[in-house]
Amino acid sequence: QVQFVQSGAEVKKPGASVKVSCKASGYNFDGYAIYWVRQAPGHKLEWMAWIHCGNGNTRYSAKSQGRLTITSDTSANTVYLELASLRSEDTGVYFCARDAAGRGDSWGQGTPVTVSS
Amino acid sequence: DIVMSQSPLSLPVTPGEPASISCRSSRSLLHSDGYNYLDWYLQKPGQSPQLLIYFASNRASGVPDRFSGSGSGTDFTLKVSRVEAEDVGIYYCMQSLELVRTFGQGTKLEIK
């Protein structure tokens, strides 16, 4: 069965970087894309970045582009999201999801990231 | 980016009664392949989002048939025929026509 296991909670200071991971299992990793979604406390879901795990193509939201890097490691069936120059407003829960013909049909459990001095 | 707008933002419902959520997009989500690239998700308290409806009207695997989606182009609706206590949470529409996806603001369904 399709499953995603995300890395654990992170606490970072403003200006630092954070890298969260999403390990996939139960399907052909190369055949799908994965995207990341963020939810700040009390806020709506915010789409952030996308990567096709087969060809490495990427897309980023305009809001975070420049600070975001999404990568995939096909040998480890894992996708990573790195966010640089962290600000307090980057605090939230980060979710990965499989992109199946446009829809997010399977989601990770979420990784809480706290940015605080 | 395509802008998604939902209404209402808050929806108190008596168990057993129907509920309806509207979602509007700033551009048509109808692709040349004939599908509307509009999904509905439910995020229950403390959980990850879960897919309910894709291509505007197709129920995802395991989703009860009391959930239904309709609409085309720029106007879409999610209906719950008889709300149950387990349906509480925030409902989001999301466009998947473009690789850069966008969500609606979310509609919080609560039990009266």
Side-chain angles (χ1 to χ4, degrees), chain A residues 6 35 37 39 43-47 50 59-62 95 99 101-110, chain B residues 1 4 37 39 41 43 47-51 53-55 90 92 94 96 99-106:
Chain A
Q6 297 185 221
Y35 57 77
V37 169
Q39 185 167 42
H43 285 69
K44 72 169 195 173
L45 298 176
E46 177 190 0
W47 187 92
W50 174 98
R59 290 289 188 281
Y60 296 94
S61 71
F95 297 98
D99 181 351
R103 57 195 178 268
D105 70 341
S106 188
W107 293 65
Q109 83 275 20
Chain B
D1 295 352
M4 306 298 292
Y37 281 71
D39 307 328
Y41 298 87
Q43 187 177 28
Q47 296 186 19
S48 306
Q50 61 185 87
L51 177 67
I53 302 287
Y54 62 96
F55 291 154
I90 304 177
Y92 294 93
M94 184 192 84
S96 51
L99 281 179
V100 177
R101 313 290 163 78
T102 42
F103 289 94
Q105 310 98 304

Side-chain angles (χ1 to χ4, degrees), chain A residues 1-7 21-29 32-36 53 77-79 95-100 103-111, chain B residues 48:
Chain A
Q1 107 221 30
V2 178
Q3 190 175 7
F4 293 97
V5 178
Q6 297 185 221
S7 50
S21 67
C22 170
K23 183 172 177 60
S25 61
Y27 72 97
N28 175 26
F29 183 76
Y32 292 82
I34 286 175
Y35 57 77
W36 287 90
C53 301
N77 282 9
T78 300
V79 170
F95 297 98
C96 61
R98 187 176 76 163
D99 181 351
R103 57 195 178 268
D105 70 341
S106 188
W107 293 65
Q109 83 275 20
T111 296
Chain B
S48 306

Side-chain angles (χ1 to χ4, degrees), chain B residues 16-55:
Chain B
E17 293 297 303
S20 180
I21 301 170
S22 174
C23 177
R24 182 166 293 178
S25 59
S26 60
R27 294 206 297 274
S28 174
L29 302 183
L30 180 60
H31 192 275
S32 56
D33 61 10
Y35 291 103
N36 285 279
Y37 281 71
L38 185 284
D39 307 328
W40 289 97
Y41 298 87
L42 165 61
Q43 187 177 28
K44 295 183 178 181
Q47 296 186 19
S48 306
Q50 61 185 87
L51 177 67
L52 294 176
I53 302 287
Y54 62 96
F55 291 154

